[in-house]
Amino acid sequence: MRYVRFQVGTHVAYGVLGGDIVREITAPPYGPYKVTNQTHKLSAVKLLSPIVPGKIVAIGLNYKSHLGTREAPKVPEGFYKTPTSVIGTEEAIRIPKTALHEKVHMQPEAEMVFIIGKRAKNVKKADALSYVLGYTCGNDVSARDWQQHDLQWWRAKSSDTFSPMGPLIATDLDSTKMQLVCRINGKVVQEQSTGDLVHGVADIIEFISSAITLEPGDAIYTGTPGSPGDIHPGDVVEVEISGVGVLRNKVEAEA
Ligand code: MG
């Protein structure tokens, strides 16, 4: 299945995508929902972030190619991103005025994101994948100087617009075989298989759910490979995952 969330006029709904037709469903894709007779052409709707997460956990240092001289964490190292930082495809990443004023280095982080489909607490690795609704592209936008010098990552990783997700949620993918690519202005700056994750999806669910309850719709960013380049107002960042599609966001200065 390919799930979207979209807007037509003032109407916002979830839908299933078949070809270029969006068919509305009555509730978020983790359900239960009913499929309606209401359809739209994909070109006639504005896609929104495919889910409205109650919480977002992001895993850091989860590809060897991103570690540099750092050691790989023995367990998935999570931090929180705010739901208010989420935007969808084709929405603008806005660099905060304060970051522009301080000439903070801004970078994208292309990440595979998985969405929780049912409540998960103390889940064992062997059962963990049955708690996944599906997968989408994510960008863990990072204000590097704030990340290095602030005591916490609250604004470095969660300023408004710092969590692009989309364009859709694809189910039934193999989380160890997706090709993850990041492009800045069309130039490839990150490219890696999700098979290279230090801690895979099942490990992450087992570890996170040993401490906190994961709820349907929660989003988990799984980490970024390599070394992404800097972004500036006017740039266009694309995150592409095979089987999902392209998440595309222009970079702007906060007005
Ligand atoms: Mg990240």
Side-chain angles (χ1 to χ4, degrees), residues 28-45:
Y30 44 80
Y33 65 77
K34 289 199 175 74
V35 179
T36 75
N37 291 325
Q38 187 69 49
T39 60
H40 309 270
K41 273 198 166 172
L42 180 60
S43 58
V45 307

Side-chain angles (χ1 to χ4, degrees), residues 103-114:
K103 297 188 167 57
V104 167
H105 286 278
M106 296 293 310
Q107 293 195 325
E109 290 190 351
E111 308 202 5
M112 179 264 280
V113 173
F114 66 89

Side-chain angles (χ1 to χ4, degrees), residues 58-60 79 109 111 140 142 157 221 223-224:
I59 307 300
F79 60 93
E109 290 190 351
E111 308 202 5
D140 178 20
S142 303
K157 295 281 194 174
Y221 281 60
T224 203

